[in-house]
Amino acid sequence: MNAQAAPTAAVLIIGDEILSGRTKDTNLNTIARFLAALGIDLMEARTVGDRQDQIVGALNALRATCDYVFTTGGIGPTHDDITADAVGAAFGVAVAEHPEALAILERRYGPGEFNAARRRMARIPEGGRLIANPVTDAPGFQVGNVFVMAGVPKIMEAMLQDVAPRLRTGALVHARTIRVLGVGEGAIAEVLRAAADARRDLSFGSYPFGFGGEGAVGTQLVIRGRDEAKVDLAEHDLCRELRSLGIDIAVT
């Protein structure tokens, strides 16, 4: 798929609780959908634990190859919330209390509630720009092309509202789905390969369904590209080829 003009992004998910299986990550899916709606191509996603060297290494690798990096997790009040320090280390800058973040948190908590642990959430790498948090007020932050957000899905999703206006957008990707019924991917692999070879500026994907004794067996073929007319023509030609082979399809 031709994505020369499209901005690129990566996601870094941080937290031992994700790697242990104790917590199921949903943030990647939310961010992927958010980026797709802006015409930004998500190129890579990584998950690391609460270890500064891993966070720094992954972050530096991703920010060097993508226009934007989105991190989730590790900016709360507890000892294992080390993302701010890791981002500071990655950029080679100090981490200190941000006056605006401190003021936001002081307003949030009542007398005697703003303890040392909660004060940690005001620590931001030098030069960082705050990301608003309309759910609990404790802000995320942006340093360079890196957007650092909460791991709690509801909070992370709310933070994206403040992030969106800061991003360079690209042309939207159009998608068409052909539902092939009664046959598996192996039966149509060569047809799909020929279609992909003929239109290298588009993306062709194959996704089987109905295994495990649940419902009809089949395959979903997805065509994606930024030129809607080309996507529509590819869909038309692929449907025609499949029907000529006596294969039952439905277009969704």
Side-chain angles (χ1 to χ4, degrees), residues 6 16 24 46 67 71 81 84 92 123 129 151 154-156 167 198 211-212 220 225-226 230 232 234 243-244:
D16 288 346
K24 182 178 180 180
R46 300 189 191 187
D67 294 311
T71 80
D81 289 311
R123 299 174 67 253
R129 177 183 174 188
K154 182 178 180 180
I155 300 174
M156 190 283 299
L167 305 176
F211 294 94
Q220 288 196 115
R226 287 189 158 81
K230 289 184 178 180
D232 286 340
R243 289 189 177 108
S244 74

Side-chain angles (χ1 to χ4, degrees), residues 106-128:
E106 286 177 331
R107 290 194 298 269
R108 169 75 178 185
Y109 297 102
E113 293 183 341
F114 190 41
N115 56 25
R118 287 167 172 158
R119 195 176 182 112
R120 290 188 76 243
M121 296 188 290
R123 299 174 67 253
I124 306 294
E126 185 178 286

